[in-house]
Amino acid sequence: KLPTMKMLLLLVALLSAASAAPPTCYSRVLSLSKEITESFKELQTSKTVDACVATLPRLYLDIHNYCVLAKLRDFVAYPGCDRVPEVNELKEKARSLYTILISYCRRDLVFLTDDCNALEIPISPPIEHS
């Protein structure tokens, strides 16, 4: 009975490990860009943050758009709000994403567009009709 239980536990462990794929460069960049975009939205709508946050450049990111590199560079280099910890944290995440894009993933990513205006106004998700 004990060897059967060990075999069953081993099988469950192997099956769960097989389904958990390691993150790819693309999946890491995609998740980090979404995290940064969401953090920026929360920062913009927070009432407790400094008024300088309203002056920050927009930070809608699409990693399929080549202009995302310039967008990240501009955001990280923006001189305002250095005294706001949330902005500094967001700049660090943006710096990390930029580094990953140009260093680790540069051969793995394909940019589908270079429309810089598309990064100024986020596209709303389609409305589902029921």
Side-chain angles (χ1 to χ4, degrees), residues 92-119:
E92 275 306 309
K93 286 182 183 178
R95 187 177 287 112
S96 293
L97 179 59
Y98 181 80
T99 301
I100 292 169
L101 284 168
I102 64 166
S103 299
Y104 304 109
C105 296
R106 81 184 143 96
R107 290 189 194 113
D108 297 341
L109 296 177
V110 175
F111 295 108
L112 304 175
T113 182
D114 62 353
D115 181 4
C116 295
N117 289 329
L119 294 179

Side-chain angles (χ1 to χ4, degrees), residues 27-130:
S27 66
R28 176 67 183 130
V29 166
L30 188 61
S31 68
L32 186 55
S33 68
K34 286 179 180 180
E35 180 183 332
I36 291 169
T37 300
E38 288 304 312
S39 294
F40 181 74
K41 285 180 190 175
E42 290 172 12
L43 188 63
Q44 290 285 318
T45 57
S46 175
K47 293 185 180 12
T48 60
V49 177
D50 197 287
C52 74
V53 171
T55 66
L56 289 171
R58 290 182 187 196
L59 196 59
Y60 167 69
L61 303 177
D62 176 4
I63 61 162
H64 302 102
N65 188 332
Y66 185 74
C67 292
V68 75
L69 297 173
K71 177 68 94 173
L72 288 167
R73 268 194 319 267
D74 291 347
F75 185 79
V76 169
Y78 190 76
C81 296
D82 288 339
R83 65 186 177 278
V84 180
E86 295 89 348
V87 173
N88 289 330
E89 183 179 323
L90 198 54
K91 284 185 175 185
E92 275 306 309
K93 286 182 183 178
R95 187 177 287 112
S96 293
L97 179 59
Y98 181 80
T99 301
I100 292 169
L101 284 168
I102 64 166
S103 299
Y104 304 109
C105 296
R106 81 184 143 96
R107 290 189 194 113
D108 297 341
L109 296 177
V110 175
F111 295 108
L112 304 175
T113 182
D114 62 353
D115 181 4
C116 295
N117 289 329
L119 294 179
E120 293 302 313
I121 303 170
I123 298 169
S124 300
I127 300 171
E128 294 183 20
H129 300 285
S130 33

